[in-house]
Amino acid sequence: MAWRRWLGLEKQTLAEKRAALNGVSLFFGALIGANLGTTSQLPLADYALIVAVICLIVLYLHLAPVARRRWTNVANLLGLVGGLYLLLIHEIGAAAFEGGRPSAQIFVTICFWIASVLFIELRPLDGESPPDRTTPQAEEPDHRIGR
């Protein structure tokens, strides 16, 4: 289908998907680090709050696509992103900080990261591609009771 190619939604191999996710995570991780580097004026408690929320967002961003309880992890991710929105953008979040609030650029960066991961995850996998040779083949887990 030509429209898939025009939108960048053509099939990807498992190795291509893994490389894309690694590249996106490396880029946005560095960008988040740079954003956090500009928050040196924050009191320690405020900095710890932001780092804790971002840490959990990154955890669920990586966990949600592969977890057995995918929808629970997606809900946790969305709840944390909503909480970050309240902290950094909505007026209610100002009360959570001793000093001034960190820049809302961190929130925008997180949103672009999530959109990038979503785009990669929604691209179909190429079932015809050769097996991924970068990692050993894992067996499918047996989900039957008692096994």
Side-chain angles (χ1 to χ4, degrees):
M1 295 182 164
W3 67 271
R4 282 188 177 275
R5 195 170 333 127
W6 295 333
L7 294 175
L9 294 174
E10 64 268 4
K11 291 182 179 180
Q12 62 185 335
T13 65
L14 188 57
E16 289 170 334
K17 180 178 181 176
R18 185 175 297 120
L21 288 171
N22 287 341
V24 164
S25 291
L26 181 66
F27 174 77
F28 283 105
L31 197 53
I32 291 292
N35 278 300
L36 288 173
T38 64
T39 60
S40 61
Q41 78 285 358
L42 284 178
L44 188 57
D46 294 350
Y47 180 78
L49 173 65
I50 292 300
V51 168
V53 172
I54 291 173
C55 176
L56 289 171
I57 288 172
V58 171
L59 172 73
Y60 284 111
L61 181 59
H62 283 89
L63 192 56
V66 297
R68 285 181 286 169
R69 295 182 177 183
R70 181 173 299 152
W71 295 112
T72 301
N73 287 288
V74 168
N76 289 335
L77 174 62
L78 293 175
L80 286 161
V81 171
L84 188 64
Y85 171 82
L86 290 175
L87 285 172
L88 298 181
I89 296 176
H90 196 276
E91 60 194 42
I92 198 170
F97 296 97
E98 294 173 20
R101 284 200 283 193
S103 169
Q105 292 165 327
I106 295 173
F107 176 77
V108 172
T109 303
I110 294 280
C111 289
F112 273 105
W113 191 353
I114 291 170
S116 299
V117 168
L118 190 61
F119 179 77
I120 294 165
E121 287 293 336
L122 291 178
R123 284 182 57 199
L125 284 176
D126 184 4
E128 301 291 318
S129 62
D132 179 20
R133 305 232 187 265
T134 59
T135 58
Q137 294 292 326
E139 291 183 24
E140 280 292 313
D142 190 353
H143 295 293
R144 291 179 285 177
I145 297 175
R147 298 212 177 208

